Amino acid sequence: MKGKRLFAVIIMFLFVLTFAAGCIYNQTTPAITTNPIPVPSDESQETPVSEAPETPEPAEEEQDKQGGNENTVYISASKLKVREEADTSAKVLDNLIKGTAVNVVEEKKDEAEKLWYKVGYDNIKGSVEGWIAAEYTVKDRTELLDETLRKLDFSPQKKTFVYPVNPRVEARGIYLTKYSASNDRLDRLIEMSKRTKINTFVIDVKDDKGHMLFPTKAAEKYSPDANKYATVKDIASLMKKLKENNIYAVARIVSFKDPVYTKHHTDRAIIYKDSGKPFTNSDGLIWASAYDRTLWEYNVEVSKEAAEAGFNEIQFDYVRFPASNGGKLDKSLDYRSNTGESKPQAIQNYLMYAREQLSPLNVYISADVYGLVGSVSDDMSLGQYWEAISNVVDYICPMMYPSHYANNTYGLPVPDAYPYETVFHSAKDSVARNKNIETPAVIRSWIQDFTAPWVKGYIKYSDKQVEDQIRALEENGVKEYLLWNAGNKYSEGAVVY
């Protein structure tokens, strides 16, 4: 009898041990969340910082896709044809822009002893293989960059993937002026959002003239006149209304075009060297220098007040140097530079500073860039180099307005008349550029919801043209978009469910 009991005890012990081991083996590793921003100084420790997961490190196979293996080469031609066979007369399968990373899977020489690479890469259609001329490739991508661009930070960034108290949304948005945000048009646009896919409002908090949406302490300190034209006296009520209607709120901060600030600080405006007169574009508005650290502080302090008021995201617009005829005016202009930074360095450093300051407030940051930035190999003399900006913000917002592209861009005689094709090519190039860095921003494009009669050969824009642009984005895997209409009148039929 004792033998049977002992046997039963042993069996039970083995069963429990096996069960416990199984539980341990199948247990899911708990998620590790950390705050990527250093502990704030004593002055800002009163602001609660919720812990949020960092952007995960790329897996080994993902690093290979991004150019991390020895078989990776980069396209050195401005645009290179991918052919079906290793022959210049073979069918063209695709075109790759300068800087695109591809993996070499085979090499061969043709009858003329010209070396060809069979390469593999991913595009919107999936995995692609084809042949390219080896002479138009390099092994090290930095060989494609001039000395200025090589100084930029392309290293993986410790971005916050999501703030638990501020979940990301798949934004489908519209732009609102500070006037629309303060009158009955706001209610009409909220009602429109209930009938459509629109879930995001991008609202002027600091507009093109340097004026505030609501009175801020930052403006009082740095640019007092900016508060004179504030249209919203009770920002808490506005934010409450947006939250109650499930609107993701984005604060638009115009960064370096600021005539009110430069009126107070005339020594910080961009000027002509010969006359000392302030530089303006065709709109007559004076630009401040993107090298001005005091202006950096001002913009970020306004952004902090917007974040504390309840905005989910800070979007920096005019985050660039003024258009200078492709840099031809640079010799004539005094940008007030005393830091030794290049234009793209100044813009990247500004955005990195903004993220460091704003991340503890649990807000995302985004940056508007020219639509063509994703398709060119330089910074367009604006300071906007795609990889440098995408690498340090949460969202990059190329302004893909077809009316803003020069004739024959992408082979289109008048891009404004080809909304689908223009946005398709621009989005395709932008997606390819994002693959050159390990921590790219989400692409969220601005698209055109207005007619541009100043463009010779223009077409009228309405529902169909907006739908065509959205379709072009979706076909490139870009799921988020923002509609721009300066008068805030939108083509509702293009965004209905």
Side-chain angles (χ1 to χ4, degrees):
M1 188 69 176
K2 290 181 179 179
K4 290 182 178 179
R5 287 180 180 174
L6 180 60
F7 179 78
V9 169
I10 292 171
I11 293 298
M12 182 61 71
F13 176 78
L14 291 173
F15 175 80
V16 171
L17 185 63
T18 302
F19 178 78
C23 289
I24 293 170
Y25 179 80
N26 290 301
Q27 185 176 4
T28 303
T29 304
I32 299 174
T33 60
T34 58
N35 178 27
I37 301 300
V39 177
S41 65
D42 292 338
E43 292 179 339
S44 60
Q45 281 182 351
E46 290 181 3
T47 304
V49 181
S50 71
E51 293 192 344
E54 297 175 357
T55 305
E57 292 294 330
E60 198 170 307
E61 59 188 65
E62 186 64 24
Q63 288 177 343
D64 287 349
K65 290 180 184 178
Q66 294 163 346
N69 68 48
E70 59 184 12
N71 295 322
T72 298
V73 296
Y74 300 89
I75 306 303
S76 60
S78 57
K79 188 158 285 190
L80 185 62
K81 291 179 172 62
V82 180
R83 298 185 181 275
E84 194 170 48
E85 301 292 340
D87 190 309
T88 54
S89 62
K91 178 182 176 182
V92 176
L93 302 176
D94 199 2
N95 288 284
L96 300 177
I97 62 172
K98 186 175 182 178
T100 302
V102 294
N103 290 324
V104 178
V105 296
E106 186 180 337
E107 300 179 11
K108 70 188 278 188
K109 291 184 178 180
D110 60 18
E111 294 179 355
E113 291 297 302
K114 179 180 180 179
L115 181 63
W116 291 78
Y117 289 151
K118 185 175 185 180
V119 298
Y121 60 95
D122 293 333
N123 68 9
I124 58 174
K125 297 179 181 178
S127 297
V128 177
E129 285 194 350
W131 292 88
I132 62 173
E135 63 184 300
Y136 300 113
T137 66
V138 295
K139 287 289 293 180
D140 183 353
R141 188 173 180 275
T142 60
E143 292 181 36
L144 306 177
L145 308 179
D146 64 27
E147 196 61 36
T148 297
L149 298 178
R150 290 181 188 180
K151 294 178 181 178
L152 297 170
D153 188 351
F154 301 115
S155 64
Q157 303 293 301
K158 290 186 176 181
K159 298 181 182 180
T160 301
F161 180 71
V162 65
Y163 298 104
V165 297
N166 181 18
R168 288 185 185 243
V169 304
E170 196 171 283
R172 298 177 295 276
I174 55 176
Y175 160 68
L176 279 71
T177 66
K178 64 190 182 76
Y179 301 104
S180 292
S182 62
N183 59 33
D184 59 359
R185 179 169 288 179
L186 174 68
D187 295 321
R188 296 200 298 272
L189 292 173
I190 288 174
E191 288 305 309
M192 186 190 89
S193 74
K194 295 177 181 178
R195 300 188 297 268
T196 65
K197 299 175 183 177
I198 296 301
N199 61 5
T200 299
F201 286 2
V202 180
I203 302 174
D204 278 337
V205 169
K206 177 173 180 271
D207 70 12
D208 302 41
K209 296 181 179 179
H211 297 159
M212 296 290 112
L213 170 70
F214 61 97
T216 65
K217 294 178 182 177
E220 187 178 327
K221 176 181 177 180
Y222 294 96
S223 185
D225 288 346
N227 277 335
K228 289 183 178 180
Y229 304 95
T231 57
V232 173
K233 306 304 179 185
D234 186 356
I235 188 61
S237 294
L238 171 61
M239 300 312 299
K240 183 173 183 289
K241 178 179 285 190
L242 295 176
K243 301 299 182 185
E244 288 174 347
N245 288 280
N246 300 312
I247 300 296
Y248 181 82
V250 180
R252 178 175 179 254
I253 305 292
V254 174
S255 293
F256 301 120
K257 184 163 76 168
D258 193 334
V260 175
Y261 176 84
T262 52
K263 180 181 178 182
H264 283 283
H265 307 282
T266 55
D267 58 324
R268 294 170 188 168
I270 296 173
I271 60 173
Y272 287 97
K273 292 178 180 178
D274 57 356
S275 66
K277 292 183 179 179
F279 170 83
T280 64
N281 286 134
S282 58
D283 58 10
L285 298 179
I286 298 173
W287 282 72
S289 173
Y291 295 113
D292 181 4
R293 262 47 178 185
T294 302
L295 182 51
W296 289 19
E297 293 174 9
Y298 174 30
N299 290 335
V300 169
E301 289 304 311
V302 173
S303 301
K304 287 179 179 178
E305 292 187 55
E308 289 164 352
F311 279 91
N312 303 92
E313 179 180 325
I314 307 300
Q315 182 183 97
F316 295 103
D317 198 2
Y318 287 88
V319 58
R320 60 179 175 86
F321 287 79
S324 56
N325 194 17
K328 293 178 182 178
L329 288 176
D330 286 354
K331 292 182 180 179
S332 304
L333 296 176
D334 180 358
Y335 290 109
R336 313 281 193 171
S337 173
N338 56 9
T339 62
E341 296 166 299
S342 65
K343 287 182 180 180
Q345 275 183 302
I347 297 304
Q348 187 184 52
N349 288 339
Y350 167 66
L351 291 170
M352 293 175 75
Y353 165 74
R355 193 185 77 212
E356 177 185 306
Q357 293 291 310
L358 295 171
S359 190
L361 299 180
N362 303 306
V363 288
Y364 305 100
I365 71 166
S366 54
D368 296 340
V369 300
Y370 269 27
L372 197 60
V373 167
S375 299
V376 298
S377 58
D378 59 18
D379 70 325
M380 297 183 67
S381 294
L382 302 169
Q384 294 184 339
Y385 186 68
W386 181 275
E387 287 86 351
I389 293 178
S390 180
N391 198 37
V392 300
V393 297
D394 300 304
Y395 296 92
I396 186 167
C397 305
M399 299 176 288
M400 296 181 181
Y401 313 131
S403 61
H404 285 37
Y405 292 77
N407 289 352
N408 298 310
T409 302
Y410 306 127
L412 304 170
V414 182
D416 184 71
Y418 298 87
Y420 168 80
E421 292 84 354
T422 301
V423 172
F424 183 92
H425 286 293
S426 189
K428 178 186 175 185
D429 288 348
S430 298
V431 169
R433 293 288 288 275
N434 253 2
K435 292 181 179 179
N436 291 333
I437 47 179
E438 293 184 30
T439 50
V442 173
I443 298 173
R444 183 201 290 148
S445 301
W446 282 103
I447 55 176
Q448 180 172 328
D449 193 6
F450 58 88
T451 299
W454 59 87
V455 175
K456 187 176 181 179
Y458 78 94
I459 63 172
K460 180 175 173 53
Y461 273 60
S462 58
D463 291 351
K464 182 183 184 304
Q465 288 69 35
V466 175
E467 288 172 351
D468 286 347
Q469 293 173 85
I470 294 172
R471 178 165 56 89
L473 292 174
E474 291 175 342
E475 290 179 4
N476 280 283
V478 178
K479 299 179 180 179
E480 303 190 30
Y481 57 82
L482 304 168
L483 307 184
W484 178 272
N485 180 290
N488 302 168
K489 298 176 181 179
Y490 295 100
S491 302
E492 185 174 332
V495 289
V496 293
Y497 284 105

